[in-house]
Amino acid sequence: MAEHPNAALVRKGYDAFTRGDMDTLRGLMAADCTHHVPGSHLLSGDHKGQDSMIQLYQRLYDETGGTFSVDLSHVCVDGRGHAVSVHRYTAERGDKRIEQNGCLVFRIVGDKITDIDECQEDLDKEADFWS
């Protein structure tokens, strides 16, 4: 059975992110796409537009000295334009290290990502790491 197109789109995005291929990522997003990062730390907020989102992703690498790593576990779809990815990520920042689960909730229109809501396993742990 073939993979749902929205699941394939999300997997392609994770692959591009892991390889640092920001041009491919940009091509998967609508021009006004927004990535919502929860919490109250230096990366929190609404990153609206492709340029802002690419800057966010680059900053993940910059702030962690290139140690930010994500391992995609599952992608679930509803057939109505939503996909949810489940992943485990690790990073080091100064003398801090983080390893926890997270997920992204994607809204997809046509073949473009229009919105991403980020969810974390432990928001306090996340805030401490980025503080």
Side-chain angles (χ1 to χ4, degrees):
M1 182 176 209
E3 182 173 48
H4 190 278
N6 289 349
L9 179 71
V10 169
R11 287 185 192 283
K12 184 175 181 179
Y14 270 82
D15 178 64
F17 177 84
T18 300
R19 292 182 293 106
D21 183 353
M22 298 300 139
D23 289 335
T24 294
L25 270 179
R26 186 181 298 274
L28 302 177
M29 299 182 263
D32 62 348
C33 188
T34 303
H35 187 134
H36 308 276
V37 179
S40 57
H41 53 78
L42 62 103
L43 300 178
S44 296
D46 297 332
H47 302 270
K48 186 168 180 68
Q50 292 175 348
D51 290 342
S52 180
M53 289 174 65
I54 296 299
Q55 288 170 3
L56 168 66
Y57 303 150
Q58 187 60 51
R59 194 160 181 200
L60 288 170
Y61 287 109
D62 293 346
E63 291 285 337
T64 63
T67 65
F68 189 90
S69 176
V70 63
D71 183 31
L72 178 62
S73 174
H74 297 82
V75 179
C76 302
V77 298
D78 68 356
R80 299 180 302 112
H82 299 95
V84 177
S85 64
V86 179
H87 59 255
R88 185 140 186 97
Y89 64 99
T90 60
E92 296 176 8
R93 187 168 182 257
D95 62 348
K96 297 178 183 180
R97 184 175 197 299
I98 192 166
E99 180 174 355
Q100 73 172 348
N101 296 314
C103 69
L104 299 175
V105 179
F106 296 86
R107 283 174 214 43
I108 300 167
V109 176
D111 63 350
K112 298 288 184 189
I113 298 165
T114 62
D115 203 66
I116 303 172
D117 284 299
E118 183 175 312
C119 300
Q120 300 297 339
E121 182 176 41
D122 185 332
L123 288 171
D124 292 334
K125 187 176 181 180
E126 186 80 6
D128 179 61
F129 178 76
W130 293 110
S131 67

